[in-house]
Amino acid sequence: MDRRSVRRTKRRMLDPRQLQYAVDLRHQRLHLRHIAQLLRAPFSTVARALSRLGLGRLRTLNPKPPVQRYEWERPGDLIHIDVKSPARFRKVGHRITGDRQRHSGQAEEICRHRARVYEQARQRQPRRWSRSTRCWHQPGVVLINPPPHETEINPATLVMAA
């Protein structure tokens, strides 16, 4: 038998009542397979009929709202400027130094103990310690931003060019 002589199966169409029922079910957000099962119709027939009506995908049932655009009489009416001065830190915190004991008053004793341990290790094995040990003295006050002089204090001004 020749391939050209093989008859193609006739495409089944949904009658208008079935089609209306399928559209109603689709608006209830049912999947195509479930609709085809309820109609007792082939999936391909239901999918083709609903796709033809633009209901093939669930996301097309609820389209996105239109973008809200603003129109103003003069250009520049929507310009909004936030003016903010960055914070000034007076002391270095534990996030930078990694030392939480300093603020609780334990740092001095910890540093004295470390200095004793290093000095004892240096006494036991002098060949490993050719140089002096680290200076373990705690600085008094550490400032990131030094305080400004009295003559340098000026109020910030915002100048806008029109």
Side-chain angles (χ1 to χ4, degrees):
M1 189 187 269
D2 190 30
R3 284 187 175 198
R4 285 183 240 157
S5 64
V6 174
R7 286 191 319 171
R8 299 181 81 191
T9 57
K10 185 179 177 185
R11 287 187 178 171
R12 184 167 178 247
M13 300 296 289
L14 295 176
D15 64 357
R17 215 175 72 241
Q18 279 184 320
L19 185 61
Q20 183 59 43
Y21 184 54
V23 169
D24 293 341
L25 290 174
R26 191 58 170 171
H27 281 292
Q28 294 174 16
R29 303 188 66 79
L30 265 67
H31 290 282
L32 295 175
R33 291 208 183 274
H34 194 193
I35 295 171
Q37 197 175 31
L38 291 173
L39 291 175
R40 291 194 173 99
F43 168 76
S44 58
T45 303
V46 173
R48 187 172 40 256
L50 291 176
S51 294
R52 204 176 303 128
L53 296 173
L55 300 173
R57 292 180 171 257
L58 282 175
R59 69 176 177 222
T60 58
L61 291 175
N62 298 336
K64 292 180 182 176
V67 177
Q68 186 176 4
R69 306 219 183 264
Y70 298 97
E71 290 185 18
W72 296 91
E73 295 175 7
R74 295 180 306 271
D77 281 347
L78 279 177
I79 292 177
H80 176 78
I81 298 175
D82 284 333
V83 179
K84 176 183 173 185
S85 60
R88 293 180 59 88
F89 295 97
R90 298 287 176 216
K91 293 182 181 177
V92 177
H94 70 273
R95 287 191 176 200
I96 295 173
T97 63
D99 187 12
R100 289 180 186 259
Q101 290 103 8
R102 179 179 176 140
H103 300 291
S104 64
Q106 300 171 351
E108 293 292 329
E109 181 57 36
I110 290 171
C111 287
R112 272 191 243 116
H113 176 68
R114 286 180 185 166
R116 282 194 305 269
V117 169
Y118 272 61
E119 193 57 41
Q120 289 171 1
R122 185 176 179 205
Q123 298 287 330
R124 281 190 304 243
Q125 295 183 354
R127 288 183 303 178
R128 288 184 67 189
W129 298 85
S130 58
R131 295 181 294 180
S132 63
T133 61
R134 177 181 165 190
C135 176
W136 290 101
H137 296 293
Q138 288 286 308
V141 175
V142 178
L143 299 176
I144 293 178
N145 299 323
H149 298 292
E150 291 296 324
T151 57
E152 294 179 5
I153 298 176
N154 293 328
T157 58
L158 176 62
V159 178
M160 290 181 56

